[in-house]
Amino acid sequence: MTTTTAITPELRAWIVAQAEAGFPPEDVLAAMKKSGWPEDVAIEAMESTLTEHLKAKGRPIPSLELPEPAVEDGSTCLLADGHEVKVLMSMQLPRVIVFGGLLTHAECDEMVELARGRLTRSETVVNETGGSEVNTARTSDGMFFARAENALCQRIEHRIAQLLRWPVKNGEGLQVLRYRPGAEYKPHHDYFDPVHPGTPTILARGGQRLGTLVMYLNSPVRGGATTFPDVGLEVAPIKGNAVFFSYNAPHASTKTLHGGAPVLEGEKWVATKWLREGEFV
């Protein structure tokens, strides 16, 4: 079976119908594979069909230009705004990079203290409306800093912009989360699924999310890894380190399904930076 002969009008119509019915892309892909479609054919069919469908609807298509550190030459130490950052691990699919020493311990402690008094129960995006709500899949406390809200945020945002070669204005404000013992964030995607009715409202503020940077503000005693179930990857939450991943399309072929494993002992504090394709307002 080849891609050319397999992607029939009937298959395209079925993919669109599943998307319009609200089924997540990963579920559609799983259904196609279960029915005997080779994974590469299924992914190609979904990519081309949904792209054409979004264009026909006049809805935005994500840019292929992505935030990316200067690691083309195999560098293991990068200079970002005068701060040395180590490259501890790099992976292509999913595009994941683990950084060592992105934040100093003093910066981690300061951010925790600035955030501590403003924590509330974390919410997740409501795909149907573009709003947010408390969800049992996310059992952390959190808060958002406005972009450049204080000197610490401004310094870290400029460091991230230089490290990932992405404009400060295209980043959301830093979000700080605290996970108590037993708290977790079940596997999810950070991009905004184009098939959901609330997505245009979200995209109006800066376009699609293209990348995520999770910075660890402390080291829990046990548990709390950032997990990527599709590839069996677990990133340990080490104070000052960070994990970055990007996604060039809003569907499961990017293999960026990820979660926060339950904290087994102690607390876990993280700061997250999401990067948009346009200016975030």
Side-chain angles (χ1 to χ4, degrees):
M1 180 184 294
T2 65
T3 301
T4 303
T5 59
I7 305 178
T8 64
E10 291 77 16
L11 175 60
R12 293 186 184 278
W14 179 83
I15 291 172
V16 169
Q18 303 311 298
E20 294 288 6
F23 290 104
E26 55 267 29
D27 291 352
V28 179
L29 179 62
M32 293 178 68
K33 291 169 62 178
K34 187 176 181 180
S35 296
W37 296 95
E39 183 173 14
D40 58 340
V41 175
I43 290 174
E44 168 61 23
M46 289 180 61
E47 286 181 345
S48 60
T49 300
L50 293 178
T51 296
E52 291 174 7
H53 180 62
L54 290 174
K55 286 181 178 178
K57 292 286 187 178
R59 295 162 75 175
I61 306 299
S63 168
L64 291 180
E65 184 180 1
L66 297 172
E68 174 73 9
V71 294
E72 298 90 350
D73 62 353
S75 296
T76 59
C77 188
L78 305 174
L79 193 64
D81 203 23
H83 183 85
E84 286 190 353
V85 180
K86 293 181 173 60
V87 178
L88 302 181
M89 190 276 287
S90 181
M91 190 173 187
Q92 292 299 325
L93 186 63
R95 185 57 175 139
V96 177
I97 301 176
V98 179
F99 295 114
L102 177 57
L103 303 180
T104 68
H105 281 210
E107 288 170 335
C108 292
D109 295 341
E110 183 180 356
M111 183 159 291
V112 167
E113 292 311 311
L114 288 172
R116 188 184 298 275
R118 294 165 57 178
L119 297 175
T120 59
R121 175 68 187 272
S122 299
E123 298 184 343
T124 58
V125 171
V126 180
N127 293 315
E128 288 71 24
T129 65
S132 61
E133 66 180 7
V134 172
N135 190 307
T136 56
R138 192 179 200 184
T139 52
S140 60
D141 301 311
M143 56 78 64
F144 276 95
F145 288 110
R147 199 167 55 227
E149 178 176 326
N150 53 53
L152 177 63
C153 287
Q154 188 172 33
R155 182 168 72 249
I156 292 173
E157 287 163 355
H158 278 278
R159 186 179 304 163
I160 293 170
Q162 287 200 9
L163 178 67
L164 300 179
R165 298 184 290 184
W166 205 250
V168 171
K169 67 180 182 179
N170 289 17
E172 299 180 28
L174 291 167
Q175 183 192 45
V176 175
L177 297 173
R178 176 183 63 187
Y179 293 84
R180 299 176 186 270
E184 65 178 319
Y185 195 178
K186 293 183 179 178
H188 59 283
H189 292 101
D190 282 352
Y191 56 71
F192 304 115
D193 195 329
V195 305
H196 292 304
T199 295
T201 299
I202 302 170
L203 297 183
R205 298 192 63 190
Q208 185 61 265
R209 282 177 177 169
L210 301 178
T212 302
L213 180 72
V214 178
M215 296 165 279
Y216 304 109
L217 303 181
N218 79 319
S219 301
V221 179
R222 291 191 301 124
T226 301
T227 65
F228 293 83
D230 286 348
V231 293
L233 175 64
E234 295 188 0
V235 179
I238 305 298
K239 185 175 183 177
N241 289 3
V243 59
F244 164 73
F245 51 100
S246 62
Y247 22 98
N248 64 356
H251 59 70
S253 64
T254 60
K255 298 188 182 298
T256 53
L257 183 72
H258 65 285
V263 175
L264 303 178
E265 185 177 354
E267 291 185 339
K268 180 178 76 168
W269 289 76
V270 300
T272 301
K273 184 73 168 179
W274 286 290
L275 306 171
R276 298 286 193 107
E277 61 180 328
E279 182 176 359
F280 180 73
V281 295

